[in-house]
Amino acid sequence: MESIVLIGFMGAGKTTISKALAKTLNVQVVDMDDVLVERIGQPINDYFEEYGETSFRKHETTLLKEALKEESIIATGGGVILQKENQQVLSDKLVVYLKADANILVKRIREDQVNVRPLAIKNDDGDLKRLFFSREKLYEKLAKVIIDTTKKKPIEIVSEIIQQVGL
């Protein structure tokens, strides 16, 4: 099995689905945000503030390339698709876009007390929606499979991914 890369906006369910999918398929999970926090030694929002987004994105690209060398389920950060290099790296990979309605995404982001997202701190709901819509075409372009997570339970999403990718 090749790695399955989950992409999508903040709040789409990448972390939750990656863990459930990895458990179902009995493979390792790489949650890029968790690994990056470990590597950079501080929360992502603090790193963004201190070193900037460009520096963070370099770490992200390095990790993406490393993670793809092993059989795993990879939960990317929402902005991984912004870098041209990452787009090229992902162009021939098994990429699953977890899509959801913009209003649902914003609601999930605001209700999540565990994952504080740098872009959610400094942007209001309208800004977050605009950010989502600005990325949506890229997510769709890179995806081999698109799964709408808006009204589905994690188990339904995992089943749909397995069915769509033919596992």
Side-chain angles (χ1 to χ4, degrees), residues 7-12 14 78 98 105 109 128 131-132 135 139:
I7 63 171
F9 199 67
M10 300 173 269
K14 297 179 300 290
L98 300 181
L105 291 170
I109 292 164
L128 287 175
L131 189 61
F132 165 71
R135 294 178 179 181
Y139 291 134

Side-chain angles (χ1 to χ4, degrees), residues 2-60:
E2 69 176 298
S3 290
I4 298 174
V5 183
L6 303 180
I7 63 171
F9 199 67
M10 300 173 269
K14 297 179 300 290
T15 294
T16 300
I17 300 308
S18 66
K19 290 175 183 171
L21 186 59
K23 185 175 180 183
T24 301
L25 298 175
N26 198 29
V27 295
Q28 73 172 352
V29 64
V30 177
D31 188 305
M32 288 183 56
D33 285 348
D34 288 349
V35 175
L36 287 165
V37 165
E38 194 175 296
R39 284 188 181 181
I40 61 180
Q42 60 186 331
I44 292 171
N45 54 325
D46 292 349
Y47 189 90
F48 256 63
E49 215 170 276
E50 190 171 344
Y51 300 101
E53 185 173 354
T54 303
S55 177
F56 174 78
R57 296 294 176 203
K58 287 179 184 172
H59 287 288
E60 190 175 54

Side-chain angles (χ1 to χ4, degrees), residues 102-137:
N103 291 318
I104 297 296
L105 291 170
V106 170
K107 183 176 185 281
R108 290 176 184 169
I109 292 164
R110 296 297 180 213
E111 290 175 354
D112 188 346
Q113 300 301 311
V114 177
N115 300 302
V116 180
R117 294 149 169 110
L119 294 172
I121 294 170
K122 62 181 182 183
N123 289 294
D124 65 23
D125 292 0
D127 291 332
L128 287 175
K129 288 177 191 175
R130 281 187 286 284
L131 189 61
F132 165 71
F133 290 123
S134 74
R135 294 178 179 181
E136 189 175 29
K137 293 290 181 233

Side-chain angles (χ1 to χ4, degrees), residues 5 64 68 86-93 95 142 144:
V5 183
L64 178 64
L68 284 165
N86 294 347
Q87 293 170 25
Q88 291 170 337
V89 167
L90 293 172
S91 66
D92 64 344
K93 303 299 182 216
V95 177
L142 290 168
K144 302 287 186 287

